[in-house]
């Protein structure tokens, strides 16, 4: 679901103007030194470890996050999803969870005949540690994207300019109209991938990118492609005269103090790096044996380990620093790497024409398949093939890092993204929802493939003037998970939806003619009113139904009241009435 406010933010709220196919910002720094200058106001506090309470999080879900993650160290269902992982979760400037689980190095090979991993002797296996370094795989794309947005700020690149205006040879084979924005949002028309590692020289690999024909006309379809960020790398290196690894160090990692983030880690780092795959044909494009301390991606490896789409190594803490920097509008301490309006662009959906494939500049948005219940139209993140993920939620100021070695010993063992979803669900659950009135509110829960009902007792509404009011909070997987207000006049044999109206405090009324609520509501309380049917024994209930895949943060109901004229038929604040509510699957949540 696209954020309906995204267009106005992009056009008005950012102070950005489309000029001649480019994007111009007012008062942006013209050189790298200015971009890294101290922020106004003396900077912000450094990221720190602290308790869940200090982060404004509930401790129970964070404990469950670890328990859920540990379950995937076991067969799930046939093989472990990863040999180990490092989990990090925080809110504000407090990291409330930083936990290693399992093994960073366990297998020395994969036995194809028996579909088993050949383990190192126990004394050669290496457990995960908080500072274990991972091959980030496609999470690397975020760094390339940040570097590109920096160059847009400095006027060296224009967002709507054709790539061929910087690299004339790129315009071959019908690519002359592909823009920088289309590379960043995966709408260029490139197919997903080509085996560049088959070309013998670096120059020939680049020529294959230049000669590649498009699978669809630019801007007409979304198709995630490594070739987009490889092309962006070529643009960056051309306009700056610096290699991508140098840009990463000088423009991001050194200013932010990210000392364990780089391309091509030195041999001395190897004991602290999580191993990846026993890379052999046919499952790998190259026969390399156990990949450990070198980039796993075949194309990035063939490009010398430095590539726009993959190749960055990092640890959980460094990624938390990056997350905090972006959530703070591009500043960390006294160092600024991006302007706030640039970060806003990275979190703004440019793919409104492709619902379900929401995308900012480099960042994916609103993707329940790995963001789980953290997903909102503003939630940004990315995953990596090796088992990595970074998720940032500006709405709750929270961030999640999941680093797993899920291709160790072989890529075929893992399936789907269940550990990422489970972790994101628990972090979302850890952000408390304060009741609208008093100290408690009814909560639907977050179970998948479930139905929860909250029913009022039978009421006499035969006068025809009964009205229900309450406070409502909802955030569900759009369309798939639905909250319904319904009534029955025959003792529950049949149910009919009850239309209602919600009003976000300070906002305008929103009708719900089908009696349903689904998707994103801003994660704030709404005042609800509904005219009830006339019946001598009317039962009214909330019903929340989820599918088997993903869930949102759920639904909350508070302050239920039914009035008919000057008569109060039901009032949840009265103890006698409150005990008459029938809840199946709903629970009382305390402030």
């Amino acid at each position: 679901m696209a954020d309906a406010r995204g267009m106005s933010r992009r056009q008005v709220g950012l102070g950005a103007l489309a000029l001649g196919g480019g994007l111009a910002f007012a008062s942006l720094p013209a050189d790298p030194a200015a971009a890294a200058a101290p922020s106004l106001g003396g900077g912000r506090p450094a990221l720190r470890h602290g308790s869940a309470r200090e982060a404004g999080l509930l401790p129970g879900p964070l404990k469950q996050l670890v328990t859920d993650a540990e379950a995937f160290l076991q067969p799930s269902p046939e093989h472990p999803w990863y040999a180990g992982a490092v989990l990090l979760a925080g809110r504000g400037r407090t990291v409330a969870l930083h936990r290693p689980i399992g093994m960073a190095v366990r297998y020395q090979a994969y036995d194809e005949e028996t579909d088993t991993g050949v383990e190192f002797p126990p004394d050669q296996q290496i457990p995960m540690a908080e500072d274990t370094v991972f091959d980030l795989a496609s999470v690397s794309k975020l760094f390339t994207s940040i570097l590109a947005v920096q160059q847009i700020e400095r006027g060296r690149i224009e967002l709507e300019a054709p790539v061929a205006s910087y690299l004339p040879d790129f315009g071959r084979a019908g690519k002359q109209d592909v823009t920088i924005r289309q590379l960043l949002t995966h709408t260029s028309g490139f197919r997903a991938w080509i085996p560049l590692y088959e070309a013998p020289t670096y120059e020939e690999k680049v020529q294959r990118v230049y000669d590649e024909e498009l699978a669809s006309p630019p801007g007409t379809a979304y198709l995630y492609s490594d070739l987009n960020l490889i092309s962006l790398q070529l643009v960056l290196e051309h306009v700056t005269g610096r290699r991508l690894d140098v840009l990463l160090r000088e423009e991001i990692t050194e200013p932010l103090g990210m000392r364990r983030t780089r391309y091509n880690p030195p041999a001395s780092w190897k004991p602290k790096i999580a191993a990846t795959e026993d890379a052999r044909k046919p499952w790998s494009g190259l026969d390399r044996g156990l990949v450990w301390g070198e980039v796993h991606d075949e194309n990035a490896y063939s490009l010398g380990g430095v590539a726009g789409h993959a190749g960055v190594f990092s640890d959980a803490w460094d990624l938390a620093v990056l997350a905090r920097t972006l959530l703070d509008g591009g500043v960390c301490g006294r160092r600024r790497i991006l302007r706030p309006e640039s970060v806003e662009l990275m979190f703004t959906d440019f793919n409104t024409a492709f619902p379900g494939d929401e995308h900012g500049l480099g960042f994916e948005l609103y993707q329940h398949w790995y963001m789980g219940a953290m997903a909102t139209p503003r939630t940004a993140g990315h995953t990596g093939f090796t088992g990595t993920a970074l998720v940032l939620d500006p709405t709750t100021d929270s961030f999640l890092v999941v680093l797993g070695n899920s291709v160790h010993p072989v890529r075929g063992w893992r399936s789907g993204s269940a550990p990422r979803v489970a972790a994101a669900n628990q972090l979302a659950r850890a952000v408390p929802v304060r009741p609208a009135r008093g100290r408690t509110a009814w909560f639907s829960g977050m179970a998948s493939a479930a139905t929860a009902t909250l029913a009022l007792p039978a009421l006499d509404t035969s006068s025809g003037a009964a009205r229900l009011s309450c406070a409502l909070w909802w955030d569900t997987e759009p369309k798939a998970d639905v909250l319904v207000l319904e009534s029955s006049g025959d003792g529950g044999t049949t149910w009919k939806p009850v239309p209602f109206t919600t009003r976000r405090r300070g906002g305008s009324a929103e009708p719900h003619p089908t009696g349903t609520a689904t998707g994103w509501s801003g994660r704030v309380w709404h005042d609800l009113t509904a005219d009830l049917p006339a019946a001598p024994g009317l039962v009214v209930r909330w019903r929340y139904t989820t599918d088997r895949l993903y869930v949102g943060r759920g639904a909350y109901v508070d302050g239920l009241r039914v009035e008919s004229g000057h008569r109060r038929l039901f009032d949840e604040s009265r103890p006698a009435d409150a005990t008459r509510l029938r809840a199946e699957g709903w629970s009382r949540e305390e402030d």
Side-chain angles (χ1 to χ4, degrees), residues 134-149:
F134 288 78
D135 176 348
L136 298 182
S138 284
V139 175
S140 305
K141 291 179 171 71
L142 298 181
F143 292 95
T144 308
S145 301
I146 291 169
L147 292 169
V149 174

Side-chain angles (χ1 to χ4, degrees), residues 311-395:
V312 176
F313 285 72
S314 188
D315 70 357
W317 186 263
D318 272 12
L319 289 179
V321 170
L322 180 67
R324 188 66 262 158
T325 299
L326 294 171
L327 288 170
D328 282 337
V331 67
C332 178
R334 298 181 61 84
R335 305 290 283 180
R336 177 172 294 283
I337 64 166
L338 286 173
R339 300 280 293 189
E341 54 266 42
S342 298
V343 177
E344 185 75 9
L345 279 178
M346 299 188 83
F347 290 0
T348 296
D349 182 21
F350 282 83
N351 284 2
T352 54
F354 310 110
D357 294 315
E358 290 83 350
H359 218 288
L361 300 184
F363 277 88
E364 297 169 338
L365 306 173
Y366 208 16
Q367 299 298 310
H368 284 81
W369 69 270
Y370 70 91
M371 297 175 180
M374 289 182 71
T376 77
R378 295 273 292 153
T379 304
H382 216 287
T383 63
F385 184 78
T386 51
T388 58
L390 174 66
V391 182
L392 318 179
D393 179 14
T395 303

